[in-house]
Amino acid sequence: MIQKKRHLNAGKYYRGEDKRKIGLFSLSHALFWIGALGLLIYFGLGQEWEQFLIVLGIVLVRSFLVVWAFKSASKKIQGTATPMNILVNDLMYLDIFGSWEPYHTNQKISNGNK
């Protein structure tokens, strides 16, 4: 948590282009998971299995690519992460920025910092 707090504090020093890239990544990440989970639920409840399997396939391909990319990167930095850890953290990323940023903003306001 301390490192996440440090990253959020350092964000004000990022260049505008970097902030846009981070924002686009966060937006696309959130839209993908919200859309994919929504479609899986919608098609699953409606028992439209062909569409359900198409969406599930897209989610599985993306998940495979995410694990592959993180495993490749972890070799360079000598990290150890299991595929399950990577996938769980990928989903938790939605909650981290959804709940942490309002807390961080409230802390600055309550401490009198603007």
Side-chain angles (χ1 to χ4, degrees):
M1 277 304 198
I2 293 172
Q3 184 172 357
K4 177 57 63 186
K5 191 174 182 180
R6 187 172 59 234
H7 284 296
L8 289 172
N9 284 330
K12 60 187 168 192
Y13 300 112
Y14 292 168
R15 295 182 321 185
E17 181 180 342
D18 293 332
K19 287 181 185 180
R20 279 190 295 282
K21 288 178 184 177
I22 292 169
L24 284 174
F25 171 75
S26 298
L27 179 65
S28 67
H29 184 263
L31 289 176
F32 175 81
W33 279 114
I34 292 168
L37 294 176
L39 287 172
L40 286 172
I41 292 168
Y42 177 77
F43 291 139
L45 292 176
Q47 297 183 350
E48 299 175 37
W49 301 117
E50 186 176 328
Q51 289 86 353
F52 179 87
L53 291 175
I54 290 170
V55 175
L56 182 62
I58 292 169
V59 169
L60 291 176
V61 167
R62 183 198 177 273
S63 297
F64 172 78
L65 292 173
V66 166
V67 169
W68 176 74
F70 274 88
K71 287 301 248 181
S72 298
S74 70
K75 288 178 185 176
K76 292 182 181 181
I77 60 171
Q78 299 176 352
T80 56
T82 65
M84 187 56 112
N85 271 355
I86 293 169
L87 293 175
V88 167
N89 288 332
D90 187 43
L91 277 172
M92 286 178 54
Y93 182 78
L94 289 173
D95 184 50
I96 289 171
F97 282 102
S99 62
W100 179 255
E101 186 59 31
Y103 169 78
H104 177 67
T105 304
N106 289 338
Q107 285 293 89
K108 288 169 74 173
I109 292 170
S110 67
N111 290 336
N113 299 332
K114 295 187 180 181

